[in-house]
Amino acid sequence: MSRESSLHRRRNQLLILVVVLSNVIGNVALSHGMRQTGSIVSASPLDYVRAFAKPWTVAGVLVLVIWMVSDLALLSRADLSFVLPVTASAYVLIAIAGHFWLGERISAVRWLGILAITFGVVLAEETPSRTTEAPPPEHLP
Amino acid sequence: MIGMRWVLVGIIACCNTVGDVLNTAGMKRQGELEEFSPRAVGRMVWGIFRNPLVMGGIAALAVSFFALLSLLSIANVSFAVPATAISYVLETFLARHVLKEDVGRRRWAAATLVACGVALLQW
């Protein structure tokens, strides 16, 4: 495992920040929009089109497009087993934002969950971001 | 509705796992995004449309997304998001055995801690 250059690492950190923030903002906006829409459990695409009439749902989807592109860019530079735990810091941000901005109560068990995720993120951050050059073709799905 | 919630959770976890593995394999094949200029990002996005692995991955994530929309309409986000914690362990397993990543003890510990932490957020 070669040591990563600091420029490569800084660029990865920038991408991680964009992935995490767009994930948080997109999911919160989408959740807000879906609550305005009401229950949808249907195979009909028209029911989903109805959900897109809500501005919060549209905003959420647009921000999640940014998340998708930045996540793919990060996956081109780093391992999946590195990206997964590191970008999980989005959960911590959602919980803490809910606590301090929306006054939501966080139980002791939820604080324990936040602590576990934070340790997981720190542990993954200490490993090299990439351990493969390209997956061997015979192992590709 | 409670049974339907867990069916949707299963669809989300499976499609997320397949989608992320296909996307990683496809993006590694496509090559690393080395600079973040609009031109380089545009080239990457154009390459994605001609990359069957990533298109397959995005299709799987789209199914997961619509299942999440359905789940969010019948359950709180505090149930919907944490219930998919199992996909962290599944994806790490596939990263090791399909993508041949060097998943050492630290990464396993990180994935396990995150999965447990995400599950605990339900309470």
Side-chain angles (χ1 to χ4, degrees):
Chain A
M1 276 184 252
S2 61
R3 210 173 153 75
E4 276 182 281
S5 76
S6 65
L7 180 65
H8 193 269
R9 199 175 170 84
R10 270 205 307 276
R11 283 184 169 168
N12 280 352
Q13 285 168 342
L14 178 68
L15 268 178
I16 290 166
L17 188 69
V18 175
V19 170
V20 169
L21 288 181
S22 56
N23 188 3
V24 171
I25 295 168
N27 276 311
V28 169
L30 197 61
S31 172
H32 190 67
M34 290 312 294
R35 279 187 194 172
Q36 291 175 337
T37 305
S39 170
I40 307 175
V41 180
S42 163
S44 163
L46 283 177
D47 288 327
Y48 293 96
V49 171
R50 191 164 51 89
F52 282 86
K54 305 287 177 193
W56 279 104
T57 311
V58 176
V61 170
L62 289 177
V63 177
L64 287 175
V65 169
I66 296 173
W67 164 76
M68 182 87 247
V69 172
S70 55
D71 194 47
L72 287 173
L74 186 57
L75 286 173
S76 79
R77 299 168 57 87
D79 289 350
L80 177 61
S81 56
F82 172 84
V83 172
L84 279 175
V86 163
T87 53
S89 41
Y91 293 110
V92 175
L93 282 186
I94 289 175
I96 290 179
H99 179 66
F100 287 106
W101 291 343
L102 305 174
E104 289 175 358
R105 191 184 152 272
I106 300 180
S107 66
V109 181
R110 288 189 88 189
W111 277 118
L112 198 64
I114 289 170
L115 202 65
I117 294 171
T118 307
F119 275 130
V121 172
V122 171
L123 266 183
E125 256 287 339
E126 286 178 354
T127 64
S129 65
R130 187 162 180 175
T131 61
T132 57
E133 275 313 306
E138 68 269 24
H139 294 301
L140 290 177
Chain B
M1 273 302 187
I2 289 175
M4 178 53 75
R5 282 182 185 187
W6 287 104
V7 169
L8 289 169
V9 166
I11 293 172
I12 293 166
C14 287
C15 290
N16 253 342
T17 302
V18 171
D20 279 342
V21 170
L22 286 176
N23 281 345
T24 308
M27 290 311 292
K28 292 292 187 300
R29 243 186 205 187
Q30 189 169 315
E32 184 170 314
L33 178 72
E34 286 175 3
E35 44 179 293
F36 299 162
S37 65
R39 195 185 168 89
V41 174
R43 261 205 311 272
M44 184 197 86
V45 172
W46 176 244
I48 285 168
F49 286 109
R50 291 179 298 149
N51 186 330
L53 285 173
V54 180
M55 291 313 289
I58 290 175
L61 290 180
V63 173
S64 166
F65 171 75
F66 284 110
L68 180 66
L69 281 188
S70 294
L71 187 57
L72 284 173
S73 72
I74 58 171
N76 289 331
V77 72
S78 59
F79 169 83
V81 178
T84 58
I86 186 69
S87 61
Y88 281 93
V89 179
L90 275 176
E91 289 187 37
T92 305
F93 180 82
L94 292 179
R96 166 77 186 85
H97 293 283
V98 177
L99 301 171
K100 301 292 171 191
E101 292 177 3
D102 182 9
V103 183
R105 275 180 296 184
R106 269 177 193 258
R107 282 201 185 164
W108 269 117
T112 309
L113 276 169
V114 168
C116 292
V118 170
L120 285 174
L121 287 181
Q122 284 186 83
W123 280 275

